[in-house]
């Protein structure tokens, strides 16, 4: 869980730093192109954090409950390692690729 928190914090810092940098480049003026790019990047950062959260938190909860003896999660470990966690590994590169992301968002009617 600590790793997820650190990675999320780093993504948030990247978003804040980019926004501050963009403002300094435009001398504090509202440039709509820069603002749109920052909004798209911040949206992408939020989606990456959300997908990481969605894939990893159930695993952490299951492991925690197993460690505490609440459930026997032995059969679940295979499901997580073969299905759920690789989905996250597949999703991340797709999210980082602007062309694929824009195509999927247009298809879903988000953009």
């Amino acid at each position: 869980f600590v790793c997820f928190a650190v990675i999320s914090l780093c993504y948030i810092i990247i978003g804040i730093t980019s926004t501050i940098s963009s403002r300094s480049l435009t001398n504090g003026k509202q440039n709509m192109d820069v603002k749109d790019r920052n909004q798209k990047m911040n949206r992408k950062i939020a989606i990456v954090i959300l997908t990481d959260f969605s894939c990893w938190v159930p695993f952490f909860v299951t492991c925690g409950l197993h460690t505490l003896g609440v459930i026997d999660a032995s059969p679940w470990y295979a499901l997580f390692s073969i299905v759920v966690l690789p989905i996250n590994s597949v999703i991340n590169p797709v999210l980082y690729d602007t062309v694929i992301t824009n195509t999927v968002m247009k298809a879903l009617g988000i953009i």
Side-chain angles (χ1 to χ4, degrees):
F1 187 74
V2 172
C3 292
F4 170 76
V6 169
I7 290 170
S8 297
L9 179 65
C10 289
Y11 275 120
I12 291 168
I13 290 171
I14 288 169
I16 291 169
T17 303
S18 174
T19 301
I20 292 169
S21 175
S22 296
R23 283 186 189 148
S24 69
L25 287 174
T26 59
N27 296 322
K29 298 175 185 171
Q30 286 291 342
N31 184 330
M32 292 309 285
D33 290 334
V34 173
K35 185 177 180 181
D36 287 344
R37 271 187 280 148
N38 277 335
Q39 286 179 342
K40 286 180 184 178
M41 185 189 64
N42 288 335
R43 188 177 322 132
K44 191 174 284 195
I45 287 172
I47 291 170
V48 168
I49 291 172
L50 180 66
T51 57
D52 286 353
F53 181 84
S54 300
C55 290
W56 281 99
V57 168
F59 178 72
F60 295 142
V61 170
T62 302
C63 290
L65 293 174
H66 180 79
T67 302
L68 295 173
V70 176
I71 61 170
D72 178 21
S74 300
W76 289 92
Y77 290 126
L79 175 69
F80 279 112
S81 62
I82 295 171
V83 178
V84 176
L85 299 179
I87 288 172
N88 183 258
S89 298
V90 169
I91 289 173
N92 281 338
V94 170
L95 292 175
Y96 291 127
D97 185 357
T98 306
V99 174
I100 294 173
T101 303
N102 289 341
T103 303
V104 169
M105 289 185 148
K106 283 180 185 176
L108 295 174
I110 297 173
I111 294 180

